[in-house]
């Protein structure tokens, strides 16, 4: 049974039919990449999974349990952590306070401390900025903080929306190295990324979305070797 499964999901923004029957799945321990052009429906798919957009049709299952009508804060509690496009950290809060916000549903101080130490293992740089306000950090540091905050909820699946956006190439390499490290430690990841080559390099499988519909799926090797994918996204 897949950890996460979408079956014929339709979603709208007002009268705009944004998702037109999305069907995909993510197995436990996988990195699955969702690639496509701007406006294809990538971010909307993640928002629909995390409860920010309500599907009009179809089902979303986490561990076989329907979560289509679950509000965003309960989606986090159920095990889905969503790092949105643009990072969306709390700029006036310190790094420590941002991380604590990620653990809003955790009551045990010991668990919070243990998770924070684990975040520091992945992102030692943000430990150095612990009492600095989030908004004064660099873009790369803010992306690390956004991922770290998501990890504080103890998710079963981590959804990343455009983690490389606006970052220098050397920082992008660091972020993707950490994504791979997280997966090697057992974290399941659903990755939306404009840089299709980088996304498919770390993924086990991928889906190609166009105008709200899944047009192609395959292993990372199959998609990287496909001539249409090369021409549209890897040129």
């Amino acid at each position: 049974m897949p950890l996460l499964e979408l079956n014929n999901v339709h979603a709208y923004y007002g009268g705009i039919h944004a998702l037109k029957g999305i069907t995909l799945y993510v197995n436990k321990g996988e990195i699955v990449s969702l690639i496509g052009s701007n406006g294809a429906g990538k971010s909307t798919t993640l928002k629909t999974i995390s409860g920010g957009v309500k599907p009009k049709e179809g089902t979303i299952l986490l561990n076989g349990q329907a979560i289509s009508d679950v509000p965003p804060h309960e989606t986090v509690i159920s095990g889905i952590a969503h790092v949105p496009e643009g990072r969306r950290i709390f700029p006036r809060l310190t790094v420590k306070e941002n991380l604590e916000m990620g653990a809003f549903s955790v009551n045990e101080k010991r668990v919070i401390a243990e998770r924070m130490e684990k975040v520091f293992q992945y992102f030692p740089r943000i430990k150095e900025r612990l009492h600095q306000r989030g908004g004064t950090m660099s873009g790369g540091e803010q992306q690390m903080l956004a991922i770290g905050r998501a990890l504080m909820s103890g998710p079963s699946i981590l959804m990343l929306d455009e983690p490389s956006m606006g970052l220098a190439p050397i920082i992008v390499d660091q972020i993707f190295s950490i994504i791979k490290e997280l997966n090697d430690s057992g974290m399941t990841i659903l990755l939306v990324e404009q840089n299709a080559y980088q996304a498919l390099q770390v993924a086990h499988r991928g889906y190609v979305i166009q105008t709200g519909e899944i047009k192609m799926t395959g292993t990372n090797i199959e998609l990287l070797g496909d001539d249409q994918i090369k021409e549209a996204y890897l040129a």
Side-chain angles (χ1 to χ4, degrees), residues 32-57:
V32 173
S33 290
L34 184 60
I35 65 172
S37 58
N38 286 332
K42 304 186 302 295
S43 294
T44 302
T45 299
L46 297 195
K47 290 175 184 176
T48 304
I49 294 168
S50 62
V53 175
K54 293 298 180 187
K56 294 288 187 182
E57 298 178 46

Side-chain angles (χ1 to χ4, degrees), residues 95-171:
V95 167
K96 184 173 185 289
E97 290 167 337
N98 267 276
L99 293 174
E100 289 170 341
M101 288 294 286
F104 73 91
S105 62
V106 182
N107 295 320
E108 296 183 52
K109 290 184 178 180
R110 175 187 58 81
V111 174
I112 294 173
E114 289 174 352
R115 289 181 183 175
M116 199 172 290
E117 281 303 316
K118 191 68 175 177
V119 168
F120 294 153
Q121 290 177 25
Y122 290 114
F123 305 107
R125 187 180 301 186
I126 66 173
K127 185 176 184 179
E128 299 169 3
R129 308 283 194 271
L130 197 58
H131 301 291
Q132 184 174 334
R133 288 190 178 187
T136 66
M137 296 165 62
S138 70
E141 291 166 345
Q142 288 186 23
Q143 185 64 66
M144 294 175 189
L145 177 56
I147 297 173
R149 181 181 62 187
L151 294 174
M152 288 295 292
S153 68
S156 56
I157 182 167
L158 179 65
M159 303 196 305
L160 302 172
D161 194 351
E162 303 287 5
S164 74
M165 180 177 285
L167 302 183
I170 189 170
I171 303 299

Side-chain angles (χ1 to χ4, degrees), residues 45-232:
T45 299
L46 297 195
K47 290 175 184 176
T48 304
I49 294 168
S50 62
V53 175
K54 293 298 180 187
K56 294 288 187 182
E57 298 178 46
T59 57
I60 304 172
L61 305 175
L62 181 67
N63 279 318
Q65 300 296 313
I67 60 167
S68 306
D69 295 322
V70 173
H73 70 281
E74 291 185 17
T75 303
V76 174
I77 295 170
S78 73
I80 295 176
H82 182 186
V83 181
E85 181 181 347
R87 300 177 274 277
R88 306 284 182 88
I89 63 162
F90 300 103
R92 296 185 180 182
L93 299 185
T94 66
V95 167
K96 184 173 185 289
E97 290 167 337
N98 267 276
L99 293 174
E100 289 170 341
M101 288 294 286
F104 73 91
S105 62
V106 182
N107 295 320
E108 296 183 52
K109 290 184 178 180
R110 175 187 58 81
V111 174
I112 294 173
E114 289 174 352
R115 289 181 183 175
M116 199 172 290
E117 281 303 316
K118 191 68 175 177
V119 168
F120 294 153
Q121 290 177 25
Y122 290 114
F123 305 107
R125 187 180 301 186
I126 66 173
K127 185 176 184 179
E128 299 169 3
R129 308 283 194 271
L130 197 58
H131 301 291
Q132 184 174 334
R133 288 190 178 187
T136 66
M137 296 165 62
S138 70
E141 291 166 345
Q142 288 186 23
Q143 185 64 66
M144 294 175 189
L145 177 56
I147 297 173
R149 181 181 62 187
L151 294 174
M152 288 295 292
S153 68
S156 56
I157 182 167
L158 179 65
M159 303 196 305
L160 302 172
D161 194 351
E162 303 287 5
S164 74
M165 180 177 285
L167 302 183
I170 189 170
I171 303 299
V172 172
D173 289 343
Q174 290 177 16
I175 293 294
F176 273 87
S177 177
I178 291 166
I179 290 171
K180 185 68 169 62
E181 188 179 346
L182 283 166
N183 180 249
D184 288 343
S185 72
M187 180 62 64
T188 305
I189 297 171
L190 178 56
L191 172 64
V192 160
E193 176 56 54
Q194 191 71 25
N195 187 332
Y197 179 77
Q198 197 115 29
L200 292 173
Q201 281 287 322
V202 298
H204 298 94
R205 295 185 300 109
Y207 292 89
V208 180
I209 184 171
Q210 295 176 6
T211 58
E213 298 179 88
I214 299 295
K215 295 296 187 180
M216 190 180 300
T217 184
T219 67
N220 63 335
I221 294 172
E222 289 169 343
L223 293 177
L224 284 167
D226 185 271
D227 289 339
Q228 288 182 319
I229 299 297
K230 287 179 181 178
E231 182 178 350

